[in-house]
Short mmCIF file of all heavy atoms in Angstrom, two decimals:
data_model
loop_
_atom_site.label_atom_id
_atom_site.label_comp_id
_atom_site.label_asym_id
_atom_site.label_seq_id
_atom_site.Cartn_x
_atom_site.Cartn_y
_atom_site.Cartn_z
N MET A 1 187.76 102.31 220.76
CA MET A 1 188.22 100.99 220.30
C MET A 1 189.62 100.72 220.82
O MET A 1 190.56 101.46 220.57
CB MET A 1 188.25 100.94 218.77
CG MET A 1 186.88 100.96 218.12
SD MET A 1 185.98 99.42 218.34
CE MET A 1 186.85 98.38 217.13
N GLY A 2 189.79 99.66 221.57
CA GLY A 2 191.12 99.28 222.03
C GLY A 2 191.83 98.47 220.98
O GLY A 2 191.33 98.28 219.87
N ASP A 3 193.00 98.03 221.34
CA ASP A 3 193.76 97.20 220.43
C ASP A 3 193.13 95.82 220.32
O ASP A 3 192.60 95.31 221.30
CB ASP A 3 195.18 97.02 220.95
CG ASP A 3 195.98 98.30 220.81
OD1 ASP A 3 195.54 99.17 220.04
OD2 ASP A 3 197.02 98.43 221.49
N ILE A 4 193.22 95.25 219.16
CA ILE A 4 192.78 93.88 218.98
C ILE A 4 194.02 93.00 218.99
O ILE A 4 194.99 93.27 218.28
CB ILE A 4 192.01 93.71 217.65
CG1 ILE A 4 190.74 94.56 217.69
CG2 ILE A 4 191.68 92.25 217.42
CD1 ILE A 4 189.88 94.45 216.45
N LYS A 5 194.00 91.98 219.82
CA LYS A 5 195.15 91.08 219.91
C LYS A 5 194.88 89.78 219.15
O LYS A 5 193.75 89.32 219.08
CB LYS A 5 195.45 90.78 221.38
CG LYS A 5 195.97 91.99 222.15
CD LYS A 5 196.47 91.59 223.50
CE LYS A 5 197.37 92.62 224.15
NZ LYS A 5 197.00 94.01 223.97
N GLU A 6 195.95 89.24 218.60
CA GLU A 6 195.85 87.97 217.89
C GLU A 6 195.78 86.80 218.86
O GLU A 6 196.54 86.76 219.84
CB GLU A 6 197.08 87.76 217.00
CG GLU A 6 197.12 88.64 215.77
CD GLU A 6 195.98 88.35 214.81
OE1 GLU A 6 195.68 87.16 214.55
OE2 GLU A 6 195.39 89.31 214.33
N THR A 7 194.91 85.85 218.60
CA THR A 7 194.88 84.64 219.41
C THR A 7 196.18 83.87 219.16
O THR A 7 196.80 84.00 218.11
CB THR A 7 193.69 83.74 219.03
OG1 THR A 7 193.74 83.46 217.63
CG2 THR A 7 192.37 84.40 219.37
N ILE A 8 196.57 83.08 220.15
CA ILE A 8 197.78 82.27 220.01
C ILE A 8 197.41 80.79 220.04
O ILE A 8 196.29 80.43 220.39
CB ILE A 8 198.81 82.58 221.13
CG1 ILE A 8 198.17 82.39 222.51
CG2 ILE A 8 199.35 83.99 220.98
CD1 ILE A 8 199.18 82.45 223.67
N LYS A 9 198.37 79.94 219.72
CA LYS A 9 198.17 78.48 219.70
C LYS A 9 196.97 78.08 218.86
O LYS A 9 196.19 77.20 219.26
CB LYS A 9 198.06 77.94 221.13
CG LYS A 9 199.33 78.15 221.94
CD LYS A 9 199.22 77.49 223.32
CE LYS A 9 200.41 77.83 224.20
NZ LYS A 9 200.22 77.41 225.58
N ASN A 10 196.78 78.75 217.73
CA ASN A 10 195.69 78.39 216.82
C ASN A 10 195.93 76.97 216.33
O ASN A 10 196.97 76.68 215.76
CB ASN A 10 195.66 79.37 215.65
CG ASN A 10 195.27 80.76 216.09
OD1 ASN A 10 194.10 81.04 216.29
ND2 ASN A 10 196.25 81.63 216.26
N ASN A 11 194.96 76.11 216.58
CA ASN A 11 195.14 74.70 216.26
C ASN A 11 193.95 74.17 215.46
O ASN A 11 192.84 74.04 215.99
CB ASN A 11 195.31 73.93 217.58
CG ASN A 11 195.74 72.50 217.34
OD1 ASN A 11 195.21 71.82 216.46
ND2 ASN A 11 196.69 72.03 218.13
N ALA A 12 194.19 73.87 214.20
CA ALA A 12 193.10 73.42 213.30
C ALA A 12 192.67 72.00 213.64
O ALA A 12 191.56 71.60 213.32
CB ALA A 12 193.56 73.51 211.85
N TYR A 13 193.53 71.25 214.28
CA TYR A 13 193.21 69.87 214.63
C TYR A 13 192.30 69.82 215.85
O TYR A 13 191.30 69.10 215.86
CB TYR A 13 194.51 69.10 214.89
CG TYR A 13 194.29 67.68 215.33
CD1 TYR A 13 193.63 66.78 214.49
CD2 TYR A 13 194.74 67.22 216.56
CE1 TYR A 13 193.42 65.47 214.88
CE2 TYR A 13 194.54 65.92 216.95
CZ TYR A 13 193.87 65.04 216.11
OH TYR A 13 193.67 63.74 216.50
N LEU A 14 192.63 70.62 216.85
CA LEU A 14 191.83 70.65 218.08
C LEU A 14 190.71 71.69 218.01
O LEU A 14 189.89 71.78 218.91
CB LEU A 14 192.73 70.96 219.28
CG LEU A 14 193.86 69.95 219.54
CD1 LEU A 14 194.77 70.45 220.64
CD2 LEU A 14 193.27 68.59 219.92
N ASN A 15 190.69 72.49 216.92
CA ASN A 15 189.72 73.58 216.79
C ASN A 15 189.75 74.47 218.03
O ASN A 15 188.71 74.72 218.65
CB ASN A 15 188.30 73.05 216.56
CG ASN A 15 188.16 72.44 215.18
OD1 ASN A 15 188.61 73.01 214.20
ND2 ASN A 15 187.55 71.28 215.11
N SER A 16 190.93 74.93 218.36
CA SER A 16 191.04 75.77 219.54
C SER A 16 192.16 76.79 219.38
O SER A 16 192.99 76.69 218.47
CB SER A 16 191.32 74.91 220.78
OG SER A 16 192.62 74.37 220.70
N CYS A 17 192.14 77.78 220.26
CA CYS A 17 193.21 78.77 220.34
C CYS A 17 193.25 79.24 221.78
O CYS A 17 192.39 78.87 222.58
CB CYS A 17 192.93 79.94 219.39
SG CYS A 17 191.39 80.81 219.72
N ASP A 18 194.26 80.04 222.12
CA ASP A 18 194.36 80.57 223.47
C ASP A 18 194.35 82.09 223.43
O ASP A 18 194.84 82.70 222.47
CB ASP A 18 195.68 80.12 224.13
CG ASP A 18 195.61 78.66 224.58
OD1 ASP A 18 194.60 77.99 224.31
OD2 ASP A 18 196.58 78.22 225.20
N CYS A 19 193.86 82.68 224.50
CA CYS A 19 193.93 84.12 224.66
C CYS A 19 195.38 84.47 225.01
O CYS A 19 195.96 83.85 225.90
CB CYS A 19 192.98 84.56 225.78
SG CYS A 19 193.16 86.30 226.22
N PRO A 20 195.99 85.46 224.32
CA PRO A 20 197.39 85.80 224.58
C PRO A 20 197.55 86.54 225.91
O PRO A 20 198.66 86.66 226.42
CB PRO A 20 197.75 86.71 223.41
CG PRO A 20 196.46 87.33 223.01
CD PRO A 20 195.39 86.28 223.25
N VAL A 21 196.47 87.04 226.48
CA VAL A 21 196.56 87.82 227.72
C VAL A 21 196.39 86.94 228.96
O VAL A 21 197.24 86.91 229.84
CB VAL A 21 195.50 88.95 227.73
CG1 VAL A 21 195.54 89.72 229.05
CG2 VAL A 21 195.75 89.89 226.56
N CYS A 22 195.30 86.17 229.01
CA CYS A 22 195.03 85.38 230.22
C CYS A 22 195.25 83.88 229.99
O CYS A 22 195.19 83.10 230.93
CB CYS A 22 193.61 85.62 230.71
SG CYS A 22 192.33 84.93 229.65
N GLY A 23 195.48 83.49 228.73
CA GLY A 23 195.76 82.09 228.44
C GLY A 23 194.54 81.19 228.40
O GLY A 23 194.66 79.98 228.36
N LYS A 24 193.34 81.80 228.39
CA LYS A 24 192.12 80.98 228.33
C LYS A 24 192.09 80.17 227.05
O LYS A 24 192.38 80.66 225.97
CB LYS A 24 190.87 81.87 228.42
CG LYS A 24 189.58 81.05 228.38
CD LYS A 24 188.36 81.90 228.63
CE LYS A 24 187.07 81.14 228.32
NZ LYS A 24 186.94 79.86 229.05
N HIS A 25 191.72 78.91 227.18
CA HIS A 25 191.59 78.00 226.05
C HIS A 25 190.22 78.24 225.42
O HIS A 25 189.20 78.14 226.10
CB HIS A 25 191.69 76.56 226.59
CG HIS A 25 191.96 75.56 225.53
ND1 HIS A 25 193.11 75.59 224.75
CD2 HIS A 25 191.24 74.49 225.12
CE1 HIS A 25 193.06 74.57 223.91
NE2 HIS A 25 191.95 73.89 224.11
N ILE A 26 190.19 78.59 224.14
CA ILE A 26 188.95 78.99 223.48
C ILE A 26 188.68 78.10 222.26
O ILE A 26 189.55 77.97 221.40
CB ILE A 26 189.05 80.47 223.02
CG1 ILE A 26 189.36 81.38 224.21
CG2 ILE A 26 187.77 80.90 222.30
CD1 ILE A 26 189.91 82.73 223.81
N PRO A 27 187.51 77.49 222.20
CA PRO A 27 187.19 76.70 221.02
C PRO A 27 186.99 77.62 219.81
O PRO A 27 186.45 78.72 219.97
CB PRO A 27 185.88 75.98 221.38
CG PRO A 27 185.35 76.64 222.59
CD PRO A 27 186.42 77.49 223.19
N ARG A 28 187.41 77.21 218.65
CA ARG A 28 187.26 78.05 217.46
C ARG A 28 186.97 77.22 216.22
O ARG A 28 187.18 76.00 216.22
CB ARG A 28 188.52 78.90 217.24
CG ARG A 28 189.82 78.11 217.10
CD ARG A 28 190.88 78.89 216.35
NE ARG A 28 190.46 79.15 214.98
CZ ARG A 28 191.11 79.93 214.12
NH1 ARG A 28 192.20 80.54 214.49
NH2 ARG A 28 190.67 80.10 212.90
N GLY A 29 186.48 77.89 215.20
CA GLY A 29 186.25 77.23 213.93
C GLY A 29 187.37 77.58 212.97
O GLY A 29 188.38 78.15 213.37
N TYR A 30 187.18 77.26 211.70
CA TYR A 30 188.23 77.51 210.71
C TYR A 30 188.26 78.96 210.23
O TYR A 30 189.24 79.41 209.68
CB TYR A 30 188.00 76.62 209.48
CG TYR A 30 188.25 75.15 209.72
CD1 TYR A 30 187.52 74.19 209.02
CD2 TYR A 30 189.24 74.73 210.62
CE1 TYR A 30 187.76 72.83 209.21
CE2 TYR A 30 189.48 73.39 210.82
CZ TYR A 30 188.73 72.44 210.11
OH TYR A 30 188.97 71.11 210.30
N GLU A 31 187.15 79.65 210.42
CA GLU A 31 187.01 80.99 209.84
C GLU A 31 187.64 82.10 210.68
O GLU A 31 187.94 81.91 211.85
CB GLU A 31 185.53 81.29 209.60
CG GLU A 31 184.75 81.68 210.86
CD GLU A 31 184.58 80.58 211.91
OE1 GLU A 31 184.82 79.39 211.60
OE2 GLU A 31 184.23 80.91 213.04
N GLU A 32 187.82 83.25 210.04
CA GLU A 32 188.35 84.41 210.74
C GLU A 32 187.21 85.07 211.52
O GLU A 32 186.07 85.08 211.05
CB GLU A 32 188.88 85.40 209.70
CG GLU A 32 189.38 86.68 210.32
CD GLU A 32 189.81 87.70 209.26
OE1 GLU A 32 189.22 87.72 208.17
OE2 GLU A 32 190.72 88.47 209.55
N ARG A 33 187.50 85.61 212.70
CA ARG A 33 186.48 86.37 213.42
C ARG A 33 187.15 87.20 214.51
O ARG A 33 188.29 86.97 214.87
CB ARG A 33 185.42 85.46 214.04
CG ARG A 33 185.91 84.67 215.24
CD ARG A 33 184.79 83.84 215.87
NE ARG A 33 185.38 83.02 216.94
CZ ARG A 33 184.89 82.88 218.17
NH1 ARG A 33 183.76 83.45 218.51
NH2 ARG A 33 185.50 82.14 219.07
N THR A 34 186.43 88.20 215.00
CA THR A 34 186.88 88.94 216.16
C THR A 34 185.83 88.73 217.26
O THR A 34 184.64 88.59 216.97
CB THR A 34 187.03 90.45 215.89
OG1 THR A 34 185.77 90.96 215.47
CG2 THR A 34 188.07 90.72 214.82
N PHE A 35 186.29 88.69 218.49
CA PHE A 35 185.39 88.44 219.62
C PHE A 35 186.08 88.90 220.90
O PHE A 35 187.25 89.30 220.87
CB PHE A 35 185.05 86.95 219.70
CG PHE A 35 186.25 86.05 219.85
CD1 PHE A 35 186.59 85.54 221.10
CD2 PHE A 35 187.06 85.75 218.76
CE1 PHE A 35 187.71 84.72 221.25
CE2 PHE A 35 188.18 84.93 218.90
CZ PHE A 35 188.50 84.42 220.14
N PHE A 36 185.36 88.82 222.00
CA PHE A 36 185.92 89.23 223.28
C PHE A 36 186.17 88.00 224.14
O PHE A 36 185.32 87.11 224.21
CB PHE A 36 184.97 90.19 224.00
CG PHE A 36 184.84 91.52 223.30
CD1 PHE A 36 183.82 91.73 222.38
CD2 PHE A 36 185.75 92.54 223.54
CE1 PHE A 36 183.71 92.94 221.70
CE2 PHE A 36 185.64 93.75 222.87
CZ PHE A 36 184.62 93.95 221.95
N CYS A 37 187.34 87.98 224.77
CA CYS A 37 187.66 86.86 225.65
C CYS A 37 186.66 86.84 226.80
O CYS A 37 186.42 87.87 227.43
CB CYS A 37 189.08 87.00 226.19
SG CYS A 37 189.50 85.72 227.40
N GLU A 38 186.11 85.67 227.07
CA GLU A 38 185.12 85.53 228.16
C GLU A 38 185.72 85.80 229.52
O GLU A 38 185.04 86.20 230.45
CB GLU A 38 184.62 84.07 228.22
CG GLU A 38 183.69 83.68 227.14
CD GLU A 38 183.39 82.19 227.21
OE1 GLU A 38 183.64 81.56 228.25
OE2 GLU A 38 182.91 81.66 226.19
N ARG A 39 186.99 85.50 229.67
CA ARG A 39 187.60 85.63 230.99
C ARG A 39 188.12 87.03 231.26
O ARG A 39 187.85 87.59 232.31
CB ARG A 39 188.73 84.61 231.15
CG ARG A 39 189.28 84.59 232.57
CD ARG A 39 190.53 83.73 232.67
NE ARG A 39 190.24 82.32 232.64
CZ ARG A 39 191.17 81.38 232.44
NH1 ARG A 39 192.42 81.73 232.24
NH2 ARG A 39 190.85 80.10 232.43
N CYS A 40 188.91 87.59 230.33
CA CYS A 40 189.56 88.88 230.62
C CYS A 40 189.00 90.04 229.79
O CYS A 40 189.38 91.18 230.02
CB CYS A 40 191.07 88.77 230.42
SG CYS A 40 191.56 88.53 228.71
N GLY A 41 188.12 89.74 228.83
CA GLY A 41 187.47 90.81 228.07
C GLY A 41 188.32 91.43 226.97
O GLY A 41 187.91 92.41 226.36
N THR A 42 189.49 90.87 226.72
CA THR A 42 190.35 91.40 225.65
C THR A 42 189.69 91.19 224.29
O THR A 42 189.08 90.15 224.05
CB THR A 42 191.72 90.67 225.66
OG1 THR A 42 192.33 90.87 226.93
CG2 THR A 42 192.64 91.20 224.56
N HIS A 43 189.78 92.21 223.44
CA HIS A 43 189.25 92.10 222.08
C HIS A 43 190.25 91.26 221.28
O HIS A 43 191.42 91.63 221.17
CB HIS A 43 189.09 93.50 221.47
CG HIS A 43 188.12 93.53 220.34
ND1 HIS A 43 187.83 94.70 219.67
CD2 HIS A 43 187.37 92.55 219.77
CE1 HIS A 43 186.93 94.42 218.72
NE2 HIS A 43 186.65 93.13 218.76
N LEU A 44 189.79 90.14 220.77
CA LEU A 44 190.67 89.20 220.10
C LEU A 44 190.32 89.02 218.64
O LEU A 44 189.16 89.13 218.24
CB LEU A 44 190.60 87.83 220.79
CG LEU A 44 191.03 87.78 222.26
CD1 LEU A 44 190.70 86.40 222.84
CD2 LEU A 44 192.50 88.07 222.39
N HIS A 45 191.33 88.73 217.86
CA HIS A 45 191.15 88.40 216.45
C HIS A 45 191.75 87.04 216.19
O HIS A 45 192.90 86.78 216.56
CB HIS A 45 191.86 89.44 215.57
CG HIS A 45 191.90 89.05 214.11
ND1 HIS A 45 193.03 88.52 213.52
CD2 HIS A 45 190.95 89.09 213.15
CE1 HIS A 45 192.76 88.26 212.24
NE2 HIS A 45 191.50 88.59 211.99
N GLN A 46 190.97 86.15 215.60
CA GLN A 46 191.53 84.86 215.18
C GLN A 46 191.59 84.87 213.67
O GLN A 46 190.64 85.21 212.99
CB GLN A 46 190.69 83.70 215.71
CG GLN A 46 189.32 83.57 215.04
CD GLN A 46 188.49 82.41 215.59
OE1 GLN A 46 188.57 82.08 216.76
NE2 GLN A 46 187.68 81.82 214.73
N ARG A 47 192.74 84.53 213.14
CA ARG A 47 192.89 84.47 211.68
C ARG A 47 192.24 83.19 211.18
O ARG A 47 192.07 82.23 211.94
CB ARG A 47 194.37 84.50 211.30
CG ARG A 47 195.14 83.30 211.82
CD ARG A 47 196.57 83.27 211.30
NE ARG A 47 197.30 82.16 211.88
CZ ARG A 47 197.17 80.89 211.47
NH1 ARG A 47 196.34 80.59 210.49
NH2 ARG A 47 197.86 79.93 212.04
N ALA A 48 191.91 83.18 209.90
CA ALA A 48 191.37 81.96 209.31
C ALA A 48 192.50 80.96 209.17
O ALA A 48 193.65 81.34 208.98
CB ALA A 48 190.77 82.27 207.95
N PHE A 49 192.18 79.67 209.27
CA PHE A 49 193.19 78.66 209.01
C PHE A 49 193.43 78.60 207.51
O PHE A 49 192.53 78.79 206.71
CB PHE A 49 192.72 77.30 209.51
CG PHE A 49 192.77 77.16 211.01
CD1 PHE A 49 191.65 76.75 211.71
CD2 PHE A 49 193.93 77.44 211.70
CE1 PHE A 49 191.69 76.62 213.09
CE2 PHE A 49 193.98 77.31 213.09
CZ PHE A 49 192.85 76.91 213.78
N THR A 50 194.65 78.31 207.13
CA THR A 50 194.96 78.17 205.71
C THR A 50 194.47 76.81 205.22
O THR A 50 194.22 75.90 206.02
CB THR A 50 196.49 78.23 205.48
OG1 THR A 50 197.09 77.11 206.15
CG2 THR A 50 197.08 79.51 206.02
N GLY A 51 194.33 76.67 203.93
CA GLY A 51 193.91 75.40 203.34
C GLY A 51 194.85 74.29 203.75
O GLY A 51 194.42 73.17 204.03
N LYS A 52 196.13 74.61 203.84
CA LYS A 52 197.14 73.61 204.20
C LYS A 52 196.94 73.13 205.64
O LYS A 52 197.00 71.94 205.92
CB LYS A 52 198.54 74.23 204.04
CG LYS A 52 199.67 73.26 204.28
CD LYS A 52 199.74 72.21 203.17
CE LYS A 52 200.66 71.06 203.58
NZ LYS A 52 200.54 69.93 202.64
N GLU A 53 196.67 74.06 206.53
CA GLU A 53 196.46 73.70 207.93
C GLU A 53 195.23 72.81 208.08
O GLU A 53 195.24 71.85 208.86
CB GLU A 53 196.27 74.96 208.78
CG GLU A 53 197.56 75.70 209.08
CD GLU A 53 197.32 77.01 209.80
OE1 GLU A 53 196.50 77.82 209.33
OE2 GLU A 53 197.95 77.23 210.83
N VAL A 54 194.18 73.14 207.35
CA VAL A 54 192.95 72.34 207.42
C VAL A 54 193.22 70.95 206.86
O VAL A 54 192.80 69.95 207.43
CB VAL A 54 191.82 73.04 206.63
CG1 VAL A 54 190.59 72.14 206.55
CG2 VAL A 54 191.45 74.37 207.29
N GLU A 55 193.97 70.89 205.76
CA GLU A 55 194.33 69.62 205.13
C GLU A 55 195.09 68.72 206.11
O GLU A 55 194.78 67.54 206.25
CB GLU A 55 195.27 69.94 203.96
CG GLU A 55 194.97 69.24 202.67
CD GLU A 55 195.87 69.81 201.60
OE1 GLU A 55 197.06 69.43 201.56
OE2 GLU A 55 195.40 70.65 200.80
N VAL A 56 196.08 69.30 206.76
CA VAL A 56 196.89 68.55 207.72
C VAL A 56 196.03 68.07 208.89
O VAL A 56 196.16 66.94 209.34
CB VAL A 56 198.07 69.41 208.24
CG1 VAL A 56 198.76 68.75 209.43
CG2 VAL A 56 199.07 69.67 207.12
N ALA A 57 195.13 68.93 209.36
CA ALA A 57 194.26 68.58 210.48
C ALA A 57 193.36 67.41 210.11
O ALA A 57 193.18 66.48 210.90
CB ALA A 57 193.42 69.79 210.90
N ILE A 58 192.80 67.46 208.91
CA ILE A 58 191.92 66.38 208.46
C ILE A 58 192.72 65.08 208.32
O ILE A 58 192.28 64.02 208.74
CB ILE A 58 191.23 66.76 207.13
CG1 ILE A 58 190.22 67.87 207.38
CG2 ILE A 58 190.57 65.54 206.48
CD1 ILE A 58 189.68 68.55 206.14
N PHE A 59 193.93 65.20 207.79
CA PHE A 59 194.79 64.03 207.63
C PHE A 59 195.13 63.41 208.99
O PHE A 59 195.01 62.20 209.18
CB PHE A 59 196.08 64.43 206.90
CG PHE A 59 197.04 63.30 206.72
CD1 PHE A 59 196.83 62.35 205.72
CD2 PHE A 59 198.15 63.19 207.54
CE1 PHE A 59 197.72 61.29 205.57
CE2 PHE A 59 199.04 62.13 207.39
CZ PHE A 59 198.82 61.18 206.40
N ASP A 60 195.51 64.26 209.95
CA ASP A 60 195.85 63.77 211.29
C ASP A 60 194.66 63.10 211.96
O ASP A 60 194.79 62.11 212.66
CB ASP A 60 196.33 64.93 212.17
CG ASP A 60 197.73 65.38 211.78
OD1 ASP A 60 198.39 64.66 211.01
OD2 ASP A 60 198.17 66.45 212.26
N LYS A 61 193.47 63.66 211.74
CA LYS A 61 192.25 63.09 212.31
C LYS A 61 192.03 61.69 211.76
O LYS A 61 191.71 60.75 212.48
CB LYS A 61 191.05 63.98 211.99
CG LYS A 61 190.47 64.63 213.22
CD LYS A 61 189.42 65.66 212.89
CE LYS A 61 189.55 66.79 213.90
NZ LYS A 61 188.83 68.00 213.53
N GLU A 62 192.19 61.57 210.45
CA GLU A 62 191.99 60.26 209.80
C GLU A 62 193.01 59.25 210.31
O GLU A 62 192.69 58.09 210.53
CB GLU A 62 192.09 60.41 208.28
CG GLU A 62 190.80 60.97 207.70
CD GLU A 62 190.92 61.36 206.24
OE1 GLU A 62 192.01 61.20 205.65
OE2 GLU A 62 189.90 61.83 205.70
N MET A 63 194.24 59.70 210.52
CA MET A 63 195.28 58.80 211.03
C MET A 63 194.93 58.32 212.43
O MET A 63 195.11 57.16 212.75
CB MET A 63 196.64 59.52 211.06
CG MET A 63 197.24 59.77 209.69
SD MET A 63 197.37 58.28 208.67
CE MET A 63 198.77 57.48 209.49
N ASP A 64 194.42 59.23 213.26
CA ASP A 64 194.02 58.86 214.62
C ASP A 64 192.90 57.84 214.60
O ASP A 64 192.91 56.88 215.37
CB ASP A 64 193.56 60.10 215.41
CG ASP A 64 194.74 60.91 215.93
OD1 ASP A 64 195.88 60.47 215.69
OD2 ASP A 64 194.52 61.93 216.57
N GLU A 65 191.93 58.06 213.73
CA GLU A 65 190.82 57.13 213.64
C GLU A 65 191.30 55.77 213.16
O GLU A 65 190.85 54.73 213.63
CB GLU A 65 189.73 57.69 212.69
CG GLU A 65 188.83 58.68 213.41
CD GLU A 65 188.09 59.62 212.48
OE1 GLU A 65 187.89 59.25 211.30
OE2 GLU A 65 187.72 60.72 212.93
N TYR A 66 192.24 55.79 212.25
CA TYR A 66 192.81 54.56 211.71
C TYR A 66 193.51 53.78 212.83
O TYR A 66 193.35 52.57 212.97
CB TYR A 66 193.79 54.89 210.58
CG TYR A 66 194.47 53.69 209.98
CD1 TYR A 66 193.80 52.86 209.07
CD2 TYR A 66 195.78 53.38 210.32
CE1 TYR A 66 194.43 51.77 208.52
CE2 TYR A 66 196.41 52.28 209.78
CZ TYR A 66 195.74 51.48 208.88
OH TYR A 66 196.36 50.38 208.35
N GLU A 67 194.29 54.50 213.63
CA GLU A 67 195.03 53.86 214.73
C GLU A 67 194.12 53.28 215.80
O GLU A 67 194.48 52.33 216.48
CB GLU A 67 195.98 54.88 215.37
CG GLU A 67 197.23 55.10 214.52
CD GLU A 67 197.99 56.36 214.92
OE1 GLU A 67 197.70 56.93 215.96
OE2 GLU A 67 198.89 56.75 214.15
N ASP A 68 192.94 53.87 215.95
CA ASP A 68 192.01 53.39 216.97
C ASP A 68 191.38 52.06 216.58
O ASP A 68 190.90 51.33 217.44
CB ASP A 68 190.89 54.41 217.20
CG ASP A 68 191.40 55.62 217.98
OD1 ASP A 68 192.48 55.51 218.56
OD2 ASP A 68 190.72 56.65 218.00
N ASN A 69 191.39 51.74 215.28
CA ASN A 69 190.72 50.50 214.83
C ASN A 69 191.62 49.26 214.95
O ASN A 69 192.81 49.37 215.02
CB ASN A 69 190.26 50.65 213.37
CG ASN A 69 189.14 51.67 213.26
OD1 ASN A 69 188.36 51.86 214.20
ND2 ASN A 69 189.06 52.33 212.13
ZN1 ZN B 1 191.63 86.42 228.02
#
């Protein structure tokens, strides 16, 4: 078992994160999980988003939809 690295740029609004090794943009959900980067094979861990982060993301989404109308 190698080291597991934390994903970076975890974004609850865009549902994405980046691989800290190769910088690959990876789609993600709200939950915690471990997986392997498709590009460089690094074992990655994404933390779960906090309730606050999800709340802010939902709020920002609603604001964007509002502005589009
Ligand atoms: Zn990678």
Side-chain angles (χ1 to χ4, degrees):
M1 291 288 284
D3 288 342
I4 297 182
K5 292 190 162 39
E6 287 296 316
T7 55
I8 56 170
K9 297 185 187 170
N10 293 281
N11 190 316
Y13 177 61
L14 300 173
N15 290 315
S16 70
C17 60
D18 284 4
C19 172
V21 177
C22 70
K24 181 173 169 55
H25 196 61
I26 303 161
R28 57 157 296 173
Y30 290 148
E31 77 293 345
E32 177 184 32
R33 72 177 175 133
T34 59
F35 59 100
F36 293 93
C37 175
E38 286 173 17
R39 187 188 285 166
C40 68
T42 301
H43 201 179
L44 299 172
H45 171 259
Q46 70 181 33
R47 63 173 176 78
F49 286 127
T50 63
K52 185 69 193 170
E53 283 174 308
V54 173
E55 226 172 78
V56 169
I58 290 168
F59 178 78
D60 287 348
K61 247 171 216 166
E62 281 170 0
M63 289 306 286
D64 280 359
E65 278 159 24
Y66 178 78
E67 283 164 11
D68 286 345
N69 292 331

